[in-house]
Amino acid sequence: MSKLWLNLGFLVLPLLAGCDPYHKEKCEWYLVPEPDHIGLVEPGWVSLCARNFVINKQRCYLKSTLEFAKEVNGKLIRLSSLKIAETGPYPREILSVKTCKPDNK
């Protein structure tokens, strides 16, 4: 009997691996200011966190220009669309992000 469950596990495991447990593909994320990290950024820059209030997850130590932060403030994004500088000191610079359209939720 246990061999049957083991075989079923191997069949179900790929299906579970294909899901999105961190909701990276869902329009549930916001870029919000992080005042606790303000001392980590240069003048003219804003410290940000990508936050998902549905699943209570976040990705912090991000930064952007003040103009960019104002532009995306209050807009939903997909975490998967967030492009961040891969190298350099923290906080890492946000290079680009696509905001979700109301009909793409």
Side-chain angles (χ1 to χ4, degrees), residues 27-32 49-51 53 67-78 81 97-102 105:
C27 289
E28 298 176 345
W29 294 83
Y30 292 94
L31 289 172
V32 297
C49 284
R51 288 210 169 97
F53 297 103
E67 296 80 26
F68 179 84
K70 286 180 179 179
E71 187 179 313
V72 297
N73 185 37
K75 296 182 181 176
L76 287 166
I77 64 165
R78 286 184 177 87
S81 75
V97 68
K98 289 183 184 176
T99 57
C100 296
K101 295 183 173 122
K105 284 188 172 185

